[in-house]
Amino acid sequence: MSKMAKHEDKFFHPKDTLDKFFEVGILIKLLDGILQTISGLALLLIQPEHIAEWAHKLTASELAEDPHDFLATHINHWANGYTKSMATFAAIYLLSHGIIKVVLIFEVMRNHLWAYIALIVVTAGFIVFQVIHLTEKVSFGFIFLTVVDIAVIYLTIREYKKQKALRDAKPQAEE
């Protein structure tokens, strides 16, 4: 086997339509992980009082027109109650989720079998959290993420089985 062929075996290459859906799903998860990581870092760096200032500046003209504007009053109410402990919790949550997703997606893209299993377990955990959150408050963002996560789990299981079968068949083919 040439060096090039060995190198190509180490990376995921979609071959059919479901493979392409799998690739799109994990790329959505990768983008989500990157955004969560960046957001977590931002929450560690930006002081809550600055967020309140920005919220007031952002909503000032709207509240001047309509002092009871639903969205502007809610943004200000949230920003005024936003504390350092809330920022720290949110930052840790976002950083941990983001970094885990990014690492697992890269390892799946590098075709490491352990990463497929880890991605399935971690994504199932996210689904449990999202469903609990949805029972408390309906969020179209969480509904979308949950549907994508369910599809990603299905496609990850499918791809894991395919990759495992290929690996299990290789030693016999080389004999």
Side-chain angles (χ1 to χ4, degrees):
M1 188 180 277
S2 72
K3 259 188 173 179
M4 183 72 153
K6 283 183 184 179
H7 178 70
E8 286 178 9
D9 288 347
K10 292 183 180 185
F11 294 94
F12 176 76
H13 297 290
K15 292 168 187 63
D16 61 22
T17 303
L18 283 179
D19 282 355
K20 289 177 183 162
F21 279 125
F22 174 68
E23 186 177 48
V24 168
I26 63 171
L27 289 175
I28 289 171
K29 301 282 299 164
L30 178 62
L31 178 62
D32 181 46
I34 291 168
L35 291 174
Q36 284 183 329
T37 302
I38 291 168
S39 299
L41 290 171
L43 289 176
L44 287 177
L45 299 173
I46 301 170
Q47 298 298 317
E49 53 272 10
H50 294 298
I51 291 176
E53 288 173 23
W54 293 337
H56 293 293
K57 287 178 186 176
L58 178 70
T59 59
S61 63
E62 190 62 40
L63 289 172
E65 283 181 32
D66 178 8
H68 302 290
D69 180 272
F70 179 80
L71 186 58
T73 56
H74 279 80
I75 288 172
N76 277 324
H77 176 73
W78 174 84
N80 289 333
Y82 186 66
T83 64
K84 185 67 177 170
S85 64
M86 289 170 69
T88 302
F89 174 79
I92 291 169
Y93 173 85
L94 290 169
L95 283 168
S96 63
H97 281 76
I99 291 168
I100 288 168
K101 284 179 192 174
V102 168
V103 168
L104 288 178
I105 296 303
F106 274 118
E107 294 305 315
V108 163
M109 291 170 74
R110 291 179 62 207
N111 223 357
H112 290 140
L113 289 180
W114 66 265
Y116 289 89
I117 301 297
L119 181 61
I120 292 164
V121 170
V122 167
T123 305
F126 292 152
I127 289 172
V128 169
F129 172 79
Q130 289 158 196
V131 168
I132 290 169
H133 180 78
L134 285 168
T135 62
E136 296 169 5
K137 182 181 177 188
V138 175
S139 162
F140 292 109
F142 270 119
I143 291 171
F144 174 75
L145 285 176
T146 302
V147 169
V148 168
D149 285 347
I150 290 167
V152 166
I153 285 177
Y154 166 75
L155 294 169
T156 304
I157 290 169
R158 178 185 173 275
E159 189 60 31
Y160 171 79
K161 288 178 180 178
K162 209 163 67 170
Q163 294 301 325
K164 185 158 177 15
L166 285 171
R167 295 233 175 116
D168 290 348
K170 275 189 183 177
Q172 297 167 355
E174 291 175 4
E175 291 176 5

